[in-house]
Amino acid sequence: MKKPEMRHSVAAALIASLFAAAPPANADVAPVVPTNPVSRADASFDTFKQGFIDALLTQNPEWALQVGQYRDAQRLAIPDPAADLAFAQKWLGQLARHPVGQLSESNRVDRALIENQLRSIQWYRSQFRNLEWDPSEWNIGEGFSILLTRDYAPRDARLLAISARLAQVPAYYTAARHTVRRPTLEHTRLAIQQSQGVLDLLGVPLESAINDSTLDEARLAELRTRASLARQAVREWIAHLETMLPRLTRGEARSFRIGPALYARKFAYDIQTDLTPTQLYRAALTEKERLHAKMDALAATLWPKYFADTPLPATRLERISQLIGKLSERHVAAADFVDEVKRQIPQLEAWVRDHDLLTLDPDKPLQVRETPLHKRGVAGASIDAPGPFDPAATTWYNVDPLDNEPAAEQESTLREYNHWMLQILNIHEAVPGHYAQLVYANRSPSLVKSLLGNGAMIEGWAVYAERMMLESGWGNHEPEMELIYAKWALRVVCNTILDYSVHTLGMTEAQAMRLLRDEAFQQEAEAQEKWRRVQLTQVQLTSYYSGFASIYALREDLRRREGEAFNLKAFHERFLSFGSAPVKYIRQMMLH
């Protein structure tokens, strides 16, 4: 199982990349909460924002479904770089009519975020061009999954929207075949795997919904015909990709490494920090050394308890590795893995309430489920959260089951997600991590700050939540928990080191595995899947450390500034009140 990632459908992943841009270097932003009365400039900009959000949702109906806007549920948009570029150019022209200097500080942030989204579209479509080399971007699964599982409307109404979408599937994959050129081998294999999951989704789950429908016979017949043609289009797409595999394996594939120039631009758009990728990489190297020293001290403390008759190994890494190996023996059975995740969620919620860390909304449902097949292959655990337009919809905590894995891989994964590590995973993904943060984001008075979420803030909060929970006493400050948590923190740091090294420094697989197994103490299954993930994603792995370091520094700065008046719960709730804005902007708003 991989480090959890906030990856949704292909359309959502595309939106996350196209609409997660860095602020321009000359952006004049000094954000605070706007005051009344609203100025004429702010009133005009508020109207502009409403129009922009509406156009953005219309331009991206798949993403609209993700955030709970079902107006265009019947549309399956075919990715069109030319249309996206025209969209960006049009709205940049309109944005220019709202000068920065005339806006309130809060609206300056929204303006900067909108500009960055639009400029990122231009860069992704004109320079990154991943639609041409990443066939996994072409995936219809998530939209159909949402329509089948979210009860935003009666089932028959949703089936009519599904029927309209199914009619567009053949044209969608025709466009995919015409667009994808010289793909990477790794993304082609992923696309084949996920497309098989799409076939499964359009099989039994869809047929079950059709069989339970009360639509008239003519519409049901049309729906079944369209479903059959859609499945055939998916099969032909899979066959098309499979015919490409021989030449890709012979060396004709594009490299999955994007190189320093593209990496630097993608980092700027996606992470939105004042640090350069190189500066963050160097900070991660320093933090790795600090964590190794801490883990060595913990290993020395625990050694007599677990190895009373064995002398300490000579080297630091050996001492840590042996202790972690011993602790990793304590884990649940493979068949109980998903059930154990479910069992821990109420315990985490009770802890947060009892220790007054954050106000949780008991009316926002969270359900643990096995990851749908069309979403597997990148992250072993993830959150699918509804957006601000349908905040009452269920949030899904996706967990890859282990039942069908080979015995050796099961054991390796279970040792990685042992008794202590599984608790940290659930804090990260659920409470008070991603699930709690995204509930707060939906309440933001600024749709821009909520919808155009920054991945480093989102992942950074989840990593911060782990640290905050242990500081509050979760795990009873036992050295075992402290050591395993340090291993998790080391993973966060090594995510950055790995991602930067692979895509800009040419790190080989052998070098990556040495880093992950020998210096990050990861089990074989975890290390292998992390290597797979770094081939399939770029920059996202740096979001964890970047976001966490920024949030923790902000908290400590405020603690020093406020002294005895500092209140941890108040900090958390104010921090989360700004939606999913980049931490650099939240910092300005909270320190203003």
Side-chain angles (χ1 to χ4, degrees):
M1 180 178 294
K2 293 192 184 127
K3 178 70 177 65
E5 178 185 4
M6 292 297 295
R7 181 177 173 90
H8 306 293
S9 68
V10 165
L14 178 61
I15 291 297
S17 61
L18 292 184
F19 299 96
N26 61 353
D28 181 12
V29 179
V32 295
V33 177
T35 58
N36 290 322
V38 177
S39 70
R40 182 178 300 177
D42 282 316
S44 176
F45 186 67
D46 289 341
T47 300
F48 164 83
K49 286 192 297 185
Q50 292 173 9
F52 169 72
I53 291 297
D54 185 68
L56 188 64
L57 294 165
T58 300
Q59 181 77 2
N60 301 277
E62 208 80 4
W63 176 60
L65 289 179
Q66 286 277 339
V67 298
Q69 224 285 12
Y70 308 110
R71 178 185 60 204
D72 294 320
Q74 77 283 356
R75 286 180 52 219
L76 176 65
I78 298 175
D80 184 347
D84 289 338
L85 287 168
F87 175 89
Q89 190 61 38
K90 170 187 173 180
W91 283 95
L92 280 170
Q94 295 192 25
L95 183 65
R97 301 171 189 170
H98 301 274
V100 172
Q102 297 180 16
L103 300 176
S104 68
E105 286 82 358
S106 181
N107 264 339
R108 290 182 186 184
V109 173
D110 284 357
R111 188 191 188 283
L113 293 176
I114 291 171
E115 181 174 356
N116 298 333
Q117 309 307 332
L118 295 170
R119 296 203 183 281
S120 71
I121 293 175
Q122 295 178 320
W123 180 80
Y124 269 91
R125 289 310 192 215
S126 64
Q127 297 185 47
F128 198 56
R129 305 171 72 94
N130 50 326
L131 286 172
E132 298 178 8
W133 52 262
D134 179 1
S136 73
E137 289 285 343
W138 297 83
N139 184 325
I140 61 172
E142 188 64 4
F144 285 104
S145 178
I146 289 172
L147 293 175
L148 285 169
T149 57
R150 282 193 196 168
D151 295 328
Y152 71 90
R155 180 181 55 238
D156 284 354
R158 289 182 282 124
L159 281 173
L160 290 176
I162 287 173
S163 181
R165 278 177 157 256
L166 288 170
Q168 302 164 70
V169 169
Y172 180 95
Y173 283 112
T174 296
R177 288 195 299 273
H178 291 159
T179 303
V180 174
R181 311 163 190 166
R182 200 189 170 208
T184 78
L185 175 62
E186 295 77 15
H187 290 95
T188 302
R189 287 171 171 163
L190 175 64
I192 292 170
Q193 175 190 344
Q194 292 187 335
S195 297
Q196 293 286 359
V198 171
L199 270 182
D200 289 337
L201 178 68
L202 299 182
V204 173
L206 177 57
E207 290 298 327
S208 297
I210 294 173
N211 291 337
D212 292 337
S213 171
T214 59
L215 290 171
D216 61 67
E217 287 302 319
R219 284 179 168 173
L220 287 175
E222 180 181 60
L223 180 51
R224 288 192 171 97
T225 298
R226 288 174 173 178
S228 177
L229 292 173
R231 287 192 289 267
Q232 181 60 29
V234 178
R235 292 190 192 97
E236 292 173 358
W237 169 241
I238 294 172
H240 173 73
L241 295 175
E242 288 177 338
T243 62
M244 301 174 73
L245 288 177
R247 66 180 180 84
L248 297 180
T249 55
R250 289 196 301 267
E252 297 180 28
R254 174 191 171 113
S255 172
F256 67 85
R257 305 174 197 272
I258 64 173
L262 289 177
Y263 190 90
R265 293 307 304 153
K266 193 173 193 298
F267 182 91
Y269 286 126
D270 292 359
I271 302 301
Q272 301 187 59
T273 176
D274 290 328
L275 295 178
T276 67
T278 303
Q279 288 171 329
L280 185 67
Y281 166 72
R282 290 172 178 167
L285 291 175
T286 300
E287 181 65 5
K288 176 166 73 78
E289 175 62 26
R290 188 193 71 80
L291 286 168
H292 278 167
K294 177 180 179 179
M295 295 171 80
D296 193 27
L298 288 166
T301 299
L302 288 167
W303 192 267
K305 179 177 178 179
Y306 291 94
F307 299 102
D309 300 323
T310 305
L312 277 168
T315 70
R316 178 170 70 180
L317 296 183
E318 288 177 318
R319 293 190 290 270
I320 300 170
S321 179
Q322 288 194 34
L323 226 307
I324 288 177
K326 184 65 176 177
L327 296 182
S328 299
E329 295 173 2
R330 184 178 174 186
H331 58 70
V332 300
D336 299 330
F337 188 75
V338 176
D339 287 339
E340 178 62 18
V341 171
K342 294 178 181 178
R343 188 187 70 82
Q344 289 184 16
I345 303 305
Q347 298 176 347
L348 294 168
E349 291 173 335
W351 183 276
V352 170
R353 287 193 301 268
D354 294 346
H355 290 76
D356 208 27
L357 299 174
L358 192 66
T359 300
L360 299 177
D361 189 339
D363 297 326
K364 303 301 182 186
L366 171 66
Q367 292 190 28
V368 180
R369 68 176 177 181
E370 295 185 3
T371 308
L373 294 175
H374 70 278
K375 295 171 71 68
R376 296 186 190 179
V378 179
S382 63
I383 285 285
D384 282 342
F389 295 104
D390 190 11
T394 298
T395 296
W396 296 104
Y397 179 1
N398 305 311
V399 181
D400 285 6
L402 305 178
D403 304 20
N404 296 325
E405 300 295 333
E409 188 166 334
Q410 282 186 7
E411 179 62 18
S412 182
T413 299
L414 290 168
R415 286 173 63 86
E416 182 71 23
Y417 291 90
N418 54 59
H419 169 74
W420 297 276
M421 188 76 95
L422 187 57
Q423 299 172 50
I424 302 170
L425 172 68
N426 290 329
I427 292 170
H428 180 104
E429 290 295 339
V431 180
H434 286 319
Y435 162 70
Q437 185 268 317
L438 292 168
V439 169
Y440 271 82
N442 284 341
R443 300 174 185 160
S444 172
S446 165
L447 273 177
V448 170
K449 294 183 181 71
S450 178
L451 290 172
L452 306 186
N454 172 250
M457 182 275 178
I458 294 170
E459 294 295 354
W461 169 262
V463 176
Y464 167 79
E466 305 151 14
R467 174 74 170 265
M468 173 260 287
M469 286 288 280
L470 266 67
E471 289 175 340
S472 72
W474 181 272
N476 299 317
H477 300 293
E478 293 177 348
E480 288 89 347
M481 175 60 91
E482 294 291 337
L483 181 61
I484 296 300
Y485 169 70
K487 175 188 169 180
W488 181 282
L490 188 62
R491 178 197 292 191
V492 169
V493 169
C494 287
N495 279 349
T496 289
I497 297 171
L498 175 72
D499 196 71
Y500 180 86
S501 299
V502 166
H503 286 288
T504 72
L505 302 178
M507 175 182 270
T508 65
E509 180 179 1
Q511 291 169 331
M513 296 305 288
R514 281 197 295 273
L515 169 70
L516 298 172
R517 288 185 302 217
D518 300 341
E519 297 185 56
F521 314 106
Q522 294 177 10
Q523 295 291 323
E524 183 67 23
E526 178 68 21
Q528 289 288 349
E529 290 199 34
K530 189 56 61 67
W531 170 248
R532 171 180 166 83
R533 179 166 165 184
V534 79
Q535 296 173 84
L536 297 173
T537 66
Q538 320 85 24
V539 171
Q540 193 275 337
L541 282 170
T542 70
S543 62
Y544 303 91
Y545 178 56
S546 172
F548 163 74
S550 299
I551 295 170
Y552 197 81
L554 170 60
R555 189 193 78 175
E556 294 307 291
D557 286 347
L558 280 169
R559 188 192 298 275
R560 284 188 291 269
R561 174 173 166 172
E562 298 178 8
E564 294 183 0
F566 178 81
N567 180 278
L568 189 61
K569 182 180 182 180
F571 165 76
H572 293 155
E573 296 189 345
R574 180 155 170 75
F575 178 85
L576 294 179
S577 72
F578 297 106
S580 299
V583 181
K584 62 186 293 184
Y585 292 162
I586 297 177
R587 180 183 186 88
Q588 293 177 30
M589 287 185 272
M590 294 188 72
L591 290 177
H592 186 86

